[in-house]
Amino acid sequence: MAALKPSRARGTVGVFSRGRWRPVPWDHSAGRSARWDSLRLLARQLRTRLLLVVVGLLAAACTALSLLGQAALDMTLTRQLDEELYRTNQRVQEVGVQGVTDLELDGEEGPPGGRAPLAGNVTVQVVRGEVRGGRVFDADGEEQPVPEEDAERIEEIVRRLGNDHGGRTGEELGPVDTALSSGGYRLLALDDPYHLGSVLVGVPLDEKQETMRAFGVASGLLSTLAVVGSGILGWILVRRSLRPLEQVSAAAADVARLPLASGEVSLADQRVPAELAEPGTEVGEVGFALNSLIDNVDSALAARQRSESRLREFVADASHELRTPLTAVRGYTDMLRLTEPLTEAGRASLTRVEQQTLRMTALVEDLLLLARLDQGRPPEMREADLAELVLESLTDASAAGPDHQWSVDLPEEAVPVRADVGQLRQVLANLLSNARKHTPAGTAVTASVRRAADGWAEVSVLDEGPGIPPDFQDKLFERFSRLDTSRQTREGSTGLGLSIVRSVVEAHGGTVGVDSRPGRTVFTVRLPPAG
């Protein structure tokens, strides 16, 4: 299996396959542009916007709940610490600061091997703003003297909250959170019963902080899992909910791909399924509206098809019926010329009648051929040499336009194709006649035949005339399209020649195109190979 990897050369990538490195051209800017276009398209999709809204709201709700939960937990833990501080402070005052080591909380000792009742607490006596005595209890409940830096910190806290000169009855100095050398503490100072100073008690904040951290991690993890899980589940549910809308969109896309411009088209099989076109839901409303639109368009296409069929039948019948009187007119003009003595003016008039009769006959034949092609009559296919047909058609064209410079470029070998020889002769005659009629005398016209690399046969008719305006080239193969002011026209034109060329070539499974600029106009016909 080949792996596609970027190479060191700028603008290329490489394919490593079967032990060999093969550079492959790659446009980095086009690749980045395609990725950005894909991302922008994904961001504009309804399912993406719905999912982002839902996930965003859920993330906001989870964040708000987490913050509220942390605030509530902080208040609860702080209240519990304050209650513990008041109880401890009162009992410390009952036995004195120095005798606090013998204090039993509620008459119970700590659990065996567990934390002692006063483990981690701080008890200090403050007299006139100075620490006169106190203890710090470690995790095992063993008392330690108050470090000097902690004593200074405690004195600073007392001064900040108010000067204590021993005469403040019942006034609280705290509770307040602060940091001592052994960690964070919640401190509370109350006047002692003898009004000699204050008794300050502190409980550690490590358990509260650990609980808050654990709650924050747990709530963050649960919120993340909830948002991610909801996003995945929401993506599945949104896709499933929007699947009917995708089916409606697919039905509309199928209709859009149909060739509605011509031919008989039926939209009966393109309707949205009935279960997706029931009014009352958003998708049902869209499906119902699309089905109504399809029905309306189907009726219009059927009416158009009936009108076109009647028009084609009329053109075919009229063309066929006109052939008989035109043939009679030509016969009577020939008989008059041979049997009746005519003046010079009479012979000129009769010649004019013959010319117009021939022109009208050609127009009728063209209309009849187009009507037959429109009715879908298949050509009478047989194998023919395209080079030989081009040579014969060019010979006829040079006889009709001796004032042009005619040349031919043919391959040495035959170029066989399967075609209706009569219709293909008319295609070649129309292209050569078009070059002759719409270019001035002396213009060089070249007809060439070649076998393309894909095996198709190609016929090109090149003239060095004034060219075709670019804005008219798109309408060149339409019926009755003429632009006599752009190319010199010395003979009358019905505007059907190139439309016949396109219709005949497409009936043979080929294509026809034009490339024109001043001094060079090329019509190219491509036909499938004979095989």
Side-chain angles (χ1 to χ4, degrees), residues 190-393:
L190 295 177
D191 286 347
D192 64 14
Y194 307 102
H195 307 293
L196 300 177
S198 297
V199 175
L200 184 143
V201 176
V203 293
L205 295 175
D206 53 351
E207 291 187 1
K208 172 188 173 182
Q209 293 170 349
E210 183 64 28
T211 303
M212 293 294 295
R213 281 195 296 269
F215 179 82
V217 171
S219 61
L221 181 60
L222 290 176
S223 297
T224 302
L225 292 177
V227 171
V228 173
S230 299
I232 297 174
L233 182 61
W235 178 259
I236 297 174
L237 295 178
V238 168
R239 282 185 61 88
R240 183 174 299 177
S241 300
L242 293 180
R243 191 170 298 163
L245 187 59
E246 294 178 354
Q247 296 177 356
V248 173
S249 176
D254 291 339
V255 174
R257 285 191 291 266
L258 292 176
L260 304 180
S262 61
E264 186 174 358
V265 182
S266 176
L267 302 181
D269 298 333
Q270 307 298 328
R271 290 171 52 85
V272 178
E275 62 271 14
L276 301 179
E278 297 180 358
T281 64
E282 291 80 359
V283 176
E285 294 287 349
V286 174
F288 181 78
L290 182 58
N291 277 347
S292 301
L293 177 62
I294 291 175
D295 293 340
N296 191 15
V297 173
D298 195 25
S299 300
L301 291 175
R304 186 213 65 188
Q305 182 64 27
R306 290 192 297 269
S307 177
E308 289 185 356
S309 299
R310 287 194 296 267
L311 181 60
R312 293 193 187 102
E313 293 174 359
F314 169 76
V315 172
D317 294 342
S319 300
H320 184 75
E321 293 297 330
L322 286 173
R323 298 171 72 182
T324 301
L326 287 173
T327 303
V329 170
R330 292 178 59 186
Y332 279 113
T333 56
D334 291 339
M335 185 177 62
L336 286 174
R337 185 182 299 278
L338 294 175
T339 61
E340 298 295 332
L342 299 174
T343 64
E344 189 68 26
R347 284 193 296 273
S349 298
L350 190 60
T351 300
R352 185 63 177 168
V353 170
E354 288 178 336
Q355 292 174 350
Q356 295 301 319
T357 302
L358 291 174
R359 182 182 177 188
M360 190 170 183
T361 301
L363 175 60
V364 169
E365 293 295 336
D366 288 345
L367 288 173
L368 185 58
L369 176 59
L370 285 174
R372 289 172 178 172
L373 292 172
D374 289 342
Q375 291 174 353
R377 295 185 184 181
E380 298 178 1
M381 310 289 280
R382 68 180 180 87
E383 188 169 323
D385 184 4
L386 184 59
E388 181 180 350
L389 294 177
V390 170
L391 181 59
E392 294 175 356
S393 300

Side-chain angles (χ1 to χ4, degrees), residues 124-142:
V124 176
Q125 185 178 24
V126 182
V127 178
R128 300 186 181 279
E130 295 182 0
V131 173
R132 295 296 179 86
R135 296 289 185 272
V136 176
F137 297 88
D138 59 20
D140 297 328
E142 298 294 332

Side-chain angles (χ1 to χ4, degrees), residues 6-21:
S7 70
R8 295 182 179 180
R10 184 177 182 182
T12 63
V13 294
V15 176
F16 188 78
S17 177
R18 298 181 179 179
R20 297 180 60 188
W21 179 267

Side-chain angles (χ1 to χ4, degrees), residues 476-491:
L476 196 60
F477 294 97
E478 296 179 2
R479 298 179 184 182
F480 301 106
S481 61
R482 289 180 292 184
L483 190 62
D484 296 340
T485 57
S486 64
R487 311 182 82 196
Q488 296 182 10
T489 303
R490 299 177 293 114
E491 299 182 20

Side-chain angles (χ1 to χ4, degrees), residues 451-462:
R451 177 72 68 181
D454 56 2
W456 283 46
E458 290 187 356
V459 179
S460 300
V461 176
L462 182 149

